[in-house]
Every structure is written in structure tokens, then in C-alpha cells.
Amino acid sequence: MTVSKEYLKAEREQSWRVDIRGLMKNKDRTALVRVHMGEVDPKERILSNIEVNKGLTQEEAVNEARRCLDCPDPTCITGCPVEINIPKFVKRIEQGEFVEAAKVLKQTSTLPAVCGRVCPQEKQCEAKCFYKLKLKKDPVAIGYLERFAADYERESNQMSVPDIAANNGIKVAVIGSGPAGLTFAGDMAKQGYDVTVFEALHEIGGVLKYGIPEFRLPNNIVDVEIDILSKMGVKFENNFIVGRTATIEDLKEEGFEAFFTGSGAGLPRFMNIPGENYIGVLSSNEYLTRINLMHAASPETDTPIVSGKNVAVIGGGNTAMDSVRTAKRLGAERAMIIYRRSLEEMPARVEEIKHAQEEGIEFMTLTNPVEYFADSTGRVNKVRVQKMELGEPDASGRRRPIPVEGSEYEIEVDTVVVSVGVSPNPLIPSSLPQLETTRWGTIVVDEEKLQSSIPEMFAGGDIVRGGATVILAMGDGRNAAAAMHNYLQEKHNS
Amino acid sequence: MNKIVDKEFFSENVVRLEIEAPRIAKARRAGHFVIVKVGKNGERIPLTIASANPEKGTITLVVQRVGVSSRRLAELNIGDEITDLVGPLGQATHIENFGTVLACGGGVGVAPLLPIVEAMKKAGNKVITVIAARTKDLIILEDQIKQYSDELIVMTDDGTYGEKGLVTDAMEKVLQREKVDLSVVIGPAIMMKFASLTTEKYEVPTYASLNTIMVDGTGMCGACRITVGGKTKFVCVDGPEFDAHKVDFDEMLLRLNGYKEIEKEAEQNYLHSKDKK
Ligand SMILES: Cc1cc2nc3c(=O)[nH]c(=O)nc-3n(C[C@H](O)[C@H](O)[C@H](O)COP(=O)(O)OP(=O)(O)OC[C@H]3O[C@@H](n4cnc5c(N)ncnc54)[C@H](O)[C@@H]3O)c2cc1C
Ligand SMILES: Cc1cc2nc3c(=O)[nH]c(=O)nc-3n(C[C@H](O)[C@H](O)[C@H](O)COP(=O)(O)OP(=O)(O)OC[C@H]3O[C@@H](n4cnc5c(N)ncnc54)[C@H](O)[C@@H]3O)c2cc1C
Ligand code: SF4
Ligand code: SF4
Ligand code: FES
């Protein structure tokens, strides 16, 4: 999917855009400084799950929108995996037409309030902004503005239920309710299909619910989106594991004609080092699931959690940051990141690293665990780590960490959260032997159509890409819906 | 959904629940389990499907009250609905005609043993079953087990019923007496450990069905991991049955106690809050 230059140009020539551009000289626009997002004070926010970023005020948003030059060649769009028409929505904000801005977002992104919060903007749209590329200045705060428009629409109760085509009576099934599945479901419902989403867990939302914590992405934001899907006629069946509760064959017999698998990369990896099965060593999935899905930290719930005093989190991705900051909020005195590369190589969003540092998280970079030790009850009490140095770049382009001989030392811990990556969920592949997969267990699909080796089965998101991002999962859901629509129309018209 | 259609107490702390779950009733095989959550704030706990009636669309669970969550479940009545129920989970038991099968259940482990005994019998095996408990009142499902066993030995620790002694005493007797081709043991971890040591002596292949702590039950969290033959396995997706002679039971025993203090406290609070009502 690429938006054509001609289309963007025609949009840019609309009179309202020309008028807005004329309001200020480019020189004055570039003289403005990037807005600073208001944040809850670190000392206060670590006492609760309150969202850290406060969002922009209307005035801040309009001012920030003024910085955007509405470039003739908007390079920012090339940085967005779903090619949101960025200058158009930003100029709608400058105009004060916030609901219109949200509409622009929704043409391409189904969950703008989510993406505005969790996209790694500094590597995507904002990295390709003219300010960054040519002026060497702070880019336009595209992510903040996206969040602003989506929040405005929701908070002013102006969220509209999209128009739905007449019901065409064709039943399609969605496996998994993460961002890929939800996006797919929305697009198919719009085109008149009878859509059912099956979810293994008792809550809808995938990683958005069980993984990403409340202080980064409040659950109610996801719930509002799910509610709209329900109003569009999408049916949700939770506690339903496709492949176990019913097989694909069973569902076909019940009239489902095509399937979209968005089952995610939910399986935790461990490092297979000695002592990793001691009590108190958990995967980040277990840790975050206990807190976010089971609400274990609340006294009202039955699920237990150990709130450690000395918590070490192994890894440097978003999941590691979410775990370590959760540990801090549960009252850890020392909450540590142990990461084998340096700060520059960390895959986590820059903002999360910054927030973590403000919250007093200790960063032990170029350090790797080699063994855990436990007391007589089997509870972990120490981790032995080793210092690392960076060698030549590896296949991923990142410099490879090499252990430094004789540099081992021990750190006292009572909880360790292992956050070194995830593998694709094997439930669907293992229940469908004919389905072609890679040796990493991801489903093989046609790049454009997202169709698998089984013609009526499409797939997208982390089950195809391995651990990726929310916006890429959504993009897949959207492309798969378009392709499945063609597939089903052809089938029914021939 | 998930409506309780029948309920019966086997003893003060062990209850049988028959629940409407047509899809699970149809899909399940011996050895499968479900995850149950009672109430919005409930915990997800694993329970074996003791039996199922696909025509009626129901499954049967046998639950022992040990803590908050099992209590909440046992307190539900006929007509109540279970908030969340998902399954069937885990790998089904490998059933074939092995010859002679020695099936051993301890405590509430007799419940998950029942479908296996039934399936083994139907596959043509000679089935010798040992069921054991601390005392007479804790012996459950005796009649149902008997129906599918060629021989049934009941053991109680205190001798109030059946023979006095441990599961392993009865196992020794059978193993000395005749050739056994396969043994299946289900019960408290400590019982499975010693039962496994017993069959190892006689070189009888043995499966144990492990009851680790679980959260999701779908392979997503790793809470259920244990070491089998030196490798880490997830009980919910790789099991729950494993080659008992390769299971690191000592590690499993430690891991089961990971949340013991918190759980005890939770149970006290729960009982306390009920007293106040
Ligand atoms: C802690 C954490 C933080 C993250 N932070 C960010 C971030 O800041 N920015 C970002 O862009 N990305 C982030 N990611 C990554 C992002 O969340 C994922 O890339 C994205 O959620 C993938 O979406 P998905 O729809 O493919 O699958 P998921 O969100 O994983 O959803 C898959 C769903 O399918 C269900 N399922 C699986 N098998 C079955 C079955 N057989 N039947 C029924 N249901 C099934 C699962 O239960 C699950 O709910 C983070 C991930 C984690 C874990
Ligand atoms: C695959 C599988 C199948 C199971 N099938 C059954 C079944 O058919 N019937 C049944 O009654 N139980 C079964 N169990 C055990 C059941 O899941 C636990 O008893 C239950 O989770 C306890 O929850 P609770 O909140 O009531 O007690 P908790 O408060 O969690 O625990 C109370 C006490 O029980 C101990 N305990 C906790 N979990 C377990 C466990 N898994 N096994 C043994 N002791 C434990 C704790 O150490 C604690 O001392 C099964 C477990 C697994 C993994
Ligand atoms: S969806 Fe993500 S990458 Fe695209 S414009 Fe929004 S924040 Fe940027
Ligand atoms: S590149 Fe930057 S300044 Fe140009 S249109 Fe995009 S956001 Fe605006
Ligand atoms: S219970 Fe979570 S992986 Fe087994």
C-alpha cells in the first residue's frame, strides 16, 4: 500500500489547507520550539498506576501543529507503516477542527489513541520529519498530536460508529483479539461481513490488555474501541481457543468461510542458565499478566504477586521497561535493568527509557546474568552477572556483546523478571499441519495479501512477524481485510 | 454459559460439579484440563476434566477446597454460572493396549485418574487401581473407579478404611506379584515422587500428571515450568503428563510453595470477610 504523490498533492491544494499555510511564514513556524508533554511527577507516579503522560492541552496542540510546514513532499508519511496523512491531520488541529483531525487518522489507523501512545515515533514518522532530516531540529511531535486528536474525539463523546455496508451474510472468524485482529474485524464489519472474534483469554485486547501497563496505556482507551466494534456488529467470544475449544474444521462446519489469525507472539523465552527455575524468577509475561490482566496488585483480587524489594529485570525492550517500572510501582527499593548491550542499542522506546531513568530505575548495561542462586526454600536470592564489551556488528546490525573474562560479580535479588524475547504462539500452526511456517514458527504469508498456504486462512501481526509493533500489526489487519474481501468476492461471484 | 447443573459433596472438602460446556464436552479427551475463574476478581486455576457427557453437553470437575479459589468454586450452587471457563487444555493421555496398567491416585488425584482408568480399560488393558487418602472420608469416586478396574485396592494412612498404609505399599505388593507394563500416578507431588521411585525400582514405565501452579494455561506465562530430563518444560502445553522417572520432583515441590504465605493470608482474609457478613 502506497499513497500516491498525486493524491497527496490534490489534498494539499484544497483551499482550507492553502489558507492555513498562508497564516504564518515558514520562518516563524520553524522558530517555534517543540512542545513538552506534561508528565506526572516521578515521585508521585511511582506510587500508583496513573498514566505518566498527561496529554496536550488544546492550546499546546494548536501551537505544536503550527510548527508543521505542510511540506510539498511530506517525508514524515514514509516513516509511518500505515501511511497516515500526517500533514492533513496536523493542519486540521491547527485549524481547531479536532474531530476532523481524528477522522483523518481513522482513515488509516483504527486505534489512533493507542498508536499515539505506544508507537516508537522517534524511529518512524518523527525520524522522517523535515525538521529532523533537513533542519536538524526537534521533529514535529506527531505522536503527541495523534494522541491529542484521538483523545479529544473520545472525551468529547464525538466518537462515531463507522458506516456499515449491508450485511452480506458471509461469516468470517478472527483468531486473537490483539491490534491485528481488532483492526481486521473492524474493516471486515464495515464491508458487511458477519465477524466473530475468538479470544483465548477472558479479556479482549491481546497485549494491549495483558502486556502494556496502565501507566502507559489505560485499559479504558482500549475498551472504548472494543465497544465501537461491538456496536458495528462484531461478535466477541472470549475463553475460546481456536484449535482446542473448536477446530478450524468445526468452525467451517458452522459456516465460517475464511479466517484471520492474529494470535501473536505470546510465548516467553528463557536463557537456559542455571537456577532459572528457582521461585521468584519469572517471565515478563507472567509478571505483567499477573498485574495487568489479573490485577494481582489490588487487594480485591485473588491472584497473588510477590512485590520484591530487589528486583532485577533482564532485557532492554519495551517489555523489560514495562516490567521494571511495574516493579518500582509495587514498592521495589532497587529496580534494576540488566542488559547485555549499551543504552544506545536498547530496543525500547526512547521515552520509556527516559521515564524509567526519572523514576530511579538502575541501568546495568553491558552486563549479563550467568547464574541464579537460592536460599534453602528455593527462593532466588542472588544473581551472578558478567560484564560485556561490544564487538563487531552482528546480523541485526547491532554490535555483538562479548563476555569479559573474570568480570563476574553477584547482586542480591529477591525477584528476577526475564524479558529476553518471545516466540510465536504455536497453537494455530500445531493444530493445522498443512499450514506452512518458518523454522522460527511464524506463519508464512504472501507479503501483499497476507494469505497463508491455506487459501481461506490469512494471518498478520506478531504471528507472522515475530515480536513487532502495534502499528505493524494493525497495518497487517487492514491489508488482510482488503485481500480477504477480494478473495471472498471472487469466490462468491464466480 | 458455564451453568452448574449438578453438585454433590464427596466429603467435607471435595465436591463434584457438573457444568454446561458443550464445546469442551465434545472436544475433550482423557488427560485434558480446563482453567476456571470465579468472579470478576477471581484467580485462574486449572482443574482436570474428570468426565464429560457430549450428548448432554456437560463436563464434570472434582474440586478439593485448599484455598480461596477452590473455595469460591465449591461454594457455587446448582444454577450458578462460572464466570470464566476455558479448555480443553494440555496434551491428552496416550491411550493404547499396553497390557497391564497400574493406576494410582492419591487424594483428589483420583478425580483426574478416573478418565484415564476408563479409557485404559476400554482400550483393552488389564487395569489395577490403587486409590489412597489420609482417612476414610477423603476416599472419593470409589464406585466409579471400580467400574473400570479389574482390581481395586483402597489404602488409608490411618487404616480407617481399606488397608492401612501408603499408596507405595500397595504398589510394591502388586509389582512384586505380577508384571506391570505401564503405571500412571496422580496425586500430591510428594506422593508422585515416591510412587515414581517405586516403579523405577521395577523398571516399569510411569506417567505422572503434574499439578503445578498455572496462570493462563496456554503456554504464555511460564509459571508452570518444571525440569524433565534436564530440560525446562511447560506443564500446561507439554503436559500435564510426563515420564515420571525424568521429572525433577524436588524442584516441583519447591515451586509449588512459591506463593504459599500470600495464599494462606488470602484465605484467612477471605474466611474472615465471610464471618463478618
Ligand atoms: C509488555 C509489552 C510492551 C510492548 N510495548 C510496545 C510499544 O510500546 N509499542 C509497540 O508498538 N509495540 C509494543 N509491544 C509489541 C506489541 O504489543 C505487539 O507487537 C502487538 O500487540 C502484536 O499484536 P497482535 O495482534 O499480532 O497480537 P497480540 O497483541 O499478541 O494478541 C494476540 C491474541 O491472540 C490470542 N490467541 C492466541 N492464540 C489463540 C487461539 N488459538 N485462539 C484464540 N485466541 C488466541 C492471545 O491470547 C492474544 O490475546 C509490546 C509488547 C509487550 C509484550
Ligand atoms: C493440570 C492440573 C490439574 C488439576 N486438577 C485438579 C482437580 O481435578 N481437582 C483439584 O481439586 N485440583 C486440581 N488441581 C490443583 C488445583 O489447580 C489447585 O488446588 C488450585 O489451583 C488451588 O487454588 P486455591 O486458590 O484454592 O488454593 P491456593 O491458595 O492457591 O493454595 C492453597 C494451598 O494449596 C497448595 N497448592 C496450590 N496450588 C496447588 C496445586 N496446583 N497442587 C497442589 N497444591 C497446590 C498451595 O501450596 C497452598 O498451600 C490441578 C492442577 C493442575 C496443574
Ligand atoms: S501511527 Fe505511529 S508511525 Fe504512524 S503517524 Fe502515528 S505515531 Fe507515527
Ligand atoms: S515532514 Fe514534518 S514538517 Fe513536513 S509535513 Fe511532515 S510533519 Fe510536517
Ligand atoms: S500456565 Fe502459563 S505457561 Fe503454563
Side-chain angles (χ1 to χ4, degrees), chain B residues 116-146:
Chain B
I116 297 173
V117 167
E118 177 183 343
M120 287 293 185
K121 180 70 196 163
K122 287 182 175 160
N125 291 284
K126 174 180 174 190
V127 181
I128 306 169
T129 311
V130 182
I131 62 176
R134 260 183 291 122
T135 183
K136 181 178 181 208
D137 290 345
L138 301 179
I139 294 286
I140 58 168
L141 297 170
E142 184 184 350
D143 293 338
Q144 289 90 329
I145 290 272
K146 200 179 215 161

Side-chain angles (χ1 to χ4, degrees), chain A residues 15-32:
Chain A
S15 62
W16 70 270
R17 289 269 289 271
V18 177
D19 291 349
I20 281 273
R21 278 201 300 278
L23 287 182
M24 243 176 127
K25 291 209 184 74
N26 274 358
K27 195 167 62 105
D28 297 331
R29 291 185 187 275
T30 55
L32 297 169

